[in-house]
Each structure stands twice: as C-alpha cells, then as structure tokens.
C-alpha cells in the first residue's frame, strides 16, 4: 500500500473530481436514453422530465425537428414518441470533454422504433414491424445547481432500416431522402 504525501493530495483530489464528473455526465446520458423507452406513447414526458435533463435554454436538433428552450419540449417529445408502440435506445462509445462546469459529449446510438399496430395494419403488414436508426449524438452539458444538464443536443441519423412512421415532418422527410442518397445530413 502506497502512502500519499500531502503534496500529492491535490492531484489525487483533481483526478477524483474528474472521475466523478465523468460518471455523472455518463449517468445523465443514460437517464436520457432510458427515459425515451419507459412508457409507450411518451406518457412520461412532462416538465419534470424536461427539467431533470435539460437547461432552460436547451437547443435540440434532430432528424425530426429543431427545438429551442425547455418550454414545449415535453409535448414535442411526447408527440414524436406517440408514433410508436415502443422504442429502445442504446448508447455506446461515450466521449466526454470536460472544461470546468461545461463539457462536450458525443456517443453512438442504435434506436429501434416498433410501429403502432394501426400503422402496420394500414400498411397491410404484420404487427411488430420496426424502424431502426443508427446515429450519433453530440452536444454540450453544463453543471447546474441540480447537477449536469444538456444545453445543446444534436441527433444525427447515419443509417436507417425499415419504413419510417407514415406521417413525417419536412425535416424528417429530408433526412430520410439524404440518407437514401448517401448525402451528409443538414447541420442547420
């Protein structure tokens, strides 16, 4: 067992602080991904959900839409997720760039969206069909008095498999068209 000298304690304290920040940010990412899959149809999306994950000035850009501010975010997410019977979002390869009370984040994700039975019936298909997306999440998190929160989140679809939901936003239509044509996603 090695005994630390008093001169070594500040460096050890800093290393532990970095590890704690990284663990808390990883936990934020995992809570966010898991929250997307908890209840069918987005019933769990409310203001408490939004404030537990995002800052008041959050900007989220996704293949579906762009949203600024926490107001209306829960309703927007609920409407998006209501298009599916259930979903599963898996994240991996977390990269965290700490800079004091801010950090950049990036991770890969596999997202499975099981279509509503009514969607499948309208398509003349068996229940259980799904729309799969492989993508990346990048963003910025900031330390608040309540812990780390997302301040910016950019969700990009890299590939898809299966049919998307029957009603798409113009942004979602463009994303799927660009993926099919192997065009880079719109970053604006």
């Amino acid at each position: 067992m090695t005994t630390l000298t008093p001169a070594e304690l500040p460096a050890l304290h800093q290393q532990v602080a970095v590890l704690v920040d990284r663990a808390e940010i990883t936990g934020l990412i995992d809570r966010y991904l898991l929250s997307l899959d908890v209840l069918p149809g987005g019933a769990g999306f409310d203001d408490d959900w939004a404030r537990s994950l995002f800052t008041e000035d959050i900007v989220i850009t996704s293949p579906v839409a762009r949203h600024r501010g926490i107001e209306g975010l829960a309703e927007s997410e609920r409407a998006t997720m209501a298009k599916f019977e259930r979903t599963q979002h898996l994240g991996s390869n977390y990269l965290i760039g700490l800079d004091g009370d801010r950090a950049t984040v990036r991770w890969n994700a596999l997202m499975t969206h099981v279509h509503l039975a009514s969607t499948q019936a309208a398509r003349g298909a068996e229940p259980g069909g799904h729309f799969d997306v492989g993508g990346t999440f990048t963003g910025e998190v900031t330390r608040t008095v309540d812990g780390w929160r997302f301040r910016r989140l950019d969700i990009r679809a890299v590939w898809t498999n299966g049919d998307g939901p029957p009603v798409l936003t113009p942004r979602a239509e463009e994303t799927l068209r660009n993926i099919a044509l192997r065009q880079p996603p719109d970053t604006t």
Side-chain angles (χ1 to χ4, degrees):
M1 185 165 168
T2 304
T3 303
L4 296 175
T5 67
E8 295 172 310
L9 288 177
L12 178 62
H13 175 69
Q14 179 59 30
Q15 289 175 329
V16 170
V18 166
L19 291 173
V20 169
D21 284 343
R22 289 179 59 79
E24 289 175 355
I25 293 168
T26 299
L28 173 67
I29 294 168
D30 287 340
R31 280 195 336 268
Y32 168 65
L33 291 174
L34 288 170
S35 78
L36 299 176
D37 303 330
V38 172
L39 298 170
F45 301 111
D46 58 19
D47 288 338
D48 290 339
W49 166 82
R51 285 184 168 69
S52 75
L53 298 166
F54 305 102
T55 61
E56 293 290 326
D57 61 345
I58 180 67
V59 176
I60 298 179
T61 305
S62 77
V64 176
R66 182 175 173 92
H67 190 92
R68 287 183 176 274
I70 205 160
E71 294 302 318
L73 181 58
E75 293 85 8
S76 176
E77 195 65 37
R78 190 170 38 252
T80 297
M81 301 308 275
K83 295 176 182 179
F84 302 103
E85 184 73 31
R86 57 193 172 277
T87 63
Q88 187 171 35
H89 294 73
L90 303 173
S92 67
N93 307 109
Y94 301 153
L95 298 176
I96 300 168
L98 286 168
D99 185 15
D101 289 340
R102 295 190 185 276
T104 57
V105 294
R106 184 198 185 284
W107 70 91
N108 293 327
L110 294 175
M111 300 161 274
T112 300
H113 307 82
V114 178
H115 289 296
L116 296 168
S118 59
T119 297
Q120 290 299 93
R123 289 178 172 162
E126 294 294 317
H130 46 92
F131 174 57
D132 304 318
V133 180
T136 60
F137 286 65
T138 58
E140 179 185 332
V141 297
T142 188
R143 188 191 322 264
T144 71
V145 295
D146 296 316
W148 290 94
R149 299 291 186 266
F150 291 105
R151 185 163 185 259
R152 181 180 50 79
L153 195 56
D154 299 312
I155 306 161
R156 301 258 167 72
V158 176
W159 59 265
T160 64
N161 185 44
D163 292 326
V167 178
L168 297 171
T169 65
R171 186 178 186 92
E173 287 178 357
E174 179 185 4
T175 298
L176 291 177
R177 188 172 44 255
N178 287 343
I179 289 171
L181 297 172
R182 299 184 189 263
Q183 299 284 328
D186 179 15
T187 58
T188 60

